[in-house]
Amino acid sequence: MLAKVNSCALVGLEATLVEVEVYSARGMPAITVVGLPDAAVKESRERVWAALRNSGLTFPGGRVTINLAPADLRKEGPSYDLPIALGVLAASGQISADVLEGALALGELSLDGSVRHVCGILPAAHMAQSLGLERMFVPSVNAAEAALVPNIEVIPVEHLIPLVEHLLEVDVIPAFDRSSQQAPQDIPITSLADFADVKGQEHVKRALEVAAAGGHNVAMVGPPGAGKTLLSRAMVEILPRMTLDEMLEVTRIYSVANLLSDGTPLIHQRPFRAPHHTISHAGLVGGGSWPRPGEISLAHRGVLFLDELPEFGYKLEVLRQPLEDRQVTISRASGAMTFPANFMLVAAANPCPCGYYGDPVKPCTCSQSTITRYRQRISGPLLDRIDIHVEVPRVDFDKLTGDQRGEPSAAVRERVQAARDRQTARFASTPLLSNADMGTREVQEMIKLDVEGDALIRSAMRQLQLSARAYHRVLKLSRTIADLEGSEAVKAHHLAEALQYRAEV
């Protein structure tokens, strides 16, 4: 007898329909899995056999052939266990094949029949909704994630036996109750650091506020212990809260990367990723024989913090395309996959290997040639893609020990949100979200300088020897500064502040 069950395979961040076909026939006992399965899928036959037997169900004694169609699409992971088990039960007549129509199943089986967590549930739910499927059978721990997609019934499954009883209408499993989910805007944000905790560094805080208001990249240079890491962590606190669409975008990435915790079905806080400088190319931009998102995609709509920037060395060159295109394309022999990478780069570096070049208190022990080689680890084209360069000096003792607290992050975030609201209104008819997303054409159309501003940028182009890319980035930065001030026009003093951030420290 032949039975068919719907499941799916992940291709990048998208799910593709996979039809699990199970055929049970007479013959010598044998279980064959075909359809380009990987090792984990091939091993599912052993898990399904044990799970059915330990659940008091029957596994057919003859020849069982399991086909995962389409056969030219690679299948990987243990998520096919549950649909294979349901297909075996239907093919052997233990349940009706009709009850599986219009449904999609995903889940890993343990040997006792319980159903375990799998990754990629959110893309699978989106696919099921787009195909018009009516219900999903998913592990209980994944039910809240699947329920983020409306108009599809989510059946949480803890064990095979209750699922079989549900399909036989002996004891129906209630669908997941979406009303029990907390509204995203009501979920509290975990604070990494607050601007009020940072002593001094007012000019650096201003630079980070400008960066947050327009989504610009930042590089901070200063001695050890000046507060670069603390300021970077506080950066997340001044960014606007994510919209629901942004939350779903980020959650889809984390679902595919299998980084969602059981109690967090929805990523509601902007990501802050801080990879170590020993990370590999694949870990940074994504990759592998079957590509998975890297750190730059995990930082999508959030902050990618690269501490000790020169220590990353030549690996930084892979960031050039993502910083321009806001996405990364990974090509393999089997095809190319594109992952989103619209992140804010916040980089921190010491001015020299010992860290004290230019420090007014502690002398530098590095030779000039050593300092030159150290700084040359970061290429000019990469620095050209960073909008704001700011120096983070040593904090004075009086400021460090003083009782006066700085402006809290919440107050800064209000100004940043107001600037972002102006940008949202300006870009309402475009897919752009912030000033940093503007291309050359948008810069020319939306940023008009007066006579004084035009003279200033002409002079700066000659004196600072700015590239064409740097010219457009200065204009975008000045547009953000004007938005923070509430000005519709970009004036000369906005441009002057933007230019001072281009002077590499």
Side-chain angles (χ1 to χ4, degrees), residues 376-441:
Q376 285 177 344
R377 294 181 185 178
I378 310 172
S379 69
L382 181 68
L383 290 174
D384 205 33
R385 287 168 167 82
I386 298 178
D387 304 338
I388 297 177
H389 300 258
V390 62
E391 185 177 2
V392 186
R394 178 190 294 269
V395 182
D396 293 337
F397 179 78
D398 292 339
K399 289 185 177 179
L400 190 61
T401 57
D403 295 333
Q404 184 177 1
R405 284 174 59 85
E407 188 179 24
S409 294
V412 180
R413 186 169 60 245
E414 289 181 4
R415 295 196 295 270
V416 170
Q417 183 65 64
R420 287 288 184 105
D421 290 342
R422 294 185 184 96
Q423 295 165 46
T424 300
R426 184 182 304 123
F427 302 136
S429 59
T430 72
L432 305 179
L433 296 175
S434 65
N435 288 331
D437 296 335
M438 285 193 291
T440 304
R441 183 176 61 184

Side-chain angles (χ1 to χ4, degrees), residues 284-305:
L284 187 60
V285 301
S289 57
W290 194 250
R292 285 288 184 264
E295 288 291 334
I296 63 173
S297 294
L298 295 174
H300 183 63
R301 302 298 183 192
V303 172
L304 177 68
F305 176 50

Side-chain angles (χ1 to χ4, degrees), residues 162-411:
L163 177 57
V164 172
E165 292 176 346
H166 171 83
L167 295 174
L168 294 175
E169 299 183 353
V170 174
D171 189 3
V172 176
I173 301 174
F176 184 85
D177 183 11
R178 288 180 170 83
S179 63
S180 63
Q181 291 181 300
Q182 192 173 10
Q185 61 270 20
D186 297 334
I187 303 175
I189 293 178
T190 304
S191 177
L192 298 176
D194 195 287
F195 264 25
D197 299 327
V198 182
K199 301 291 186 178
Q201 310 294 16
E202 281 76 14
H203 71 291
V204 185
K205 294 179 186 178
R206 167 63 180 178
L208 294 181
E209 179 182 341
V210 172
H216 303 285
N217 303 318
V218 187
M220 296 181 288
V221 178
K228 300 186 294 294
T229 301
L230 183 61
L231 285 162
S232 301
R233 292 182 179 276
M235 185 76 176
V236 178
E237 302 302 310
I238 65 173
L239 291 171
R241 292 203 68 167
M242 287 199 292
T243 64
L244 181 58
D245 288 341
E246 289 177 323
M247 292 180 189
L248 291 173
E249 267 187 86
V250 177
T251 302
R252 179 185 291 232
I253 298 171
Y254 277 69
S255 176
V256 170
N258 200 18
L259 293 177
L260 286 179
S261 62
D262 295 344
T264 310
L266 180 67
I267 300 294
H268 63 278
Q269 187 168 348
R270 294 194 181 273
F272 179 84
R273 305 294 299 184
H276 193 260
H277 60 77
T278 57
I279 191 172
S280 65
H281 277 101
L284 187 60
V285 301
S289 57
W290 194 250
R292 285 288 184 264
E295 288 291 334
I296 63 173
S297 294
L298 295 174
H300 183 63
R301 302 298 183 192
V303 172
L304 177 68
F305 176 50
L306 300 182
D307 199 7
E308 305 296 343
L309 188 67
E311 300 298 334
F312 284 84
Y314 67 95
K315 286 178 286 192
L316 292 173
E317 300 310 304
V318 298
L319 294 180
R320 290 192 194 180
Q321 182 223 353
L323 286 174
E324 287 291 327
D325 300 339
R326 305 292 180 174
Q327 62 183 19
V328 59
T329 300
I330 302 171
S331 298
R332 294 291 182 268
S334 58
M337 295 184 186
T338 299
F339 296 109
N342 193 349
F343 59 90
M344 284 182 57
L345 174 63
V346 179
N350 295 327
C352 66
C354 79
Y356 295 101
Y357 178 74
D359 189 84
V361 178
K362 193 169 182 178
C364 175
T365 60
C366 304
S367 66
Q368 190 59 47
S369 60
T370 302
I371 296 173
T372 301
R373 286 195 302 271
Y374 181 74
R375 294 190 172 187
Q376 285 177 344
R377 294 181 185 178
I378 310 172
S379 69
L382 181 68
L383 290 174
D384 205 33
R385 287 168 167 82
I386 298 178
D387 304 338
I388 297 177
H389 300 258
V390 62
E391 185 177 2
V392 186
R394 178 190 294 269
V395 182
D396 293 337
F397 179 78
D398 292 339
K399 289 185 177 179
L400 190 61
T401 57
D403 295 333
Q404 184 177 1
R405 284 174 59 85
E407 188 179 24
S409 294

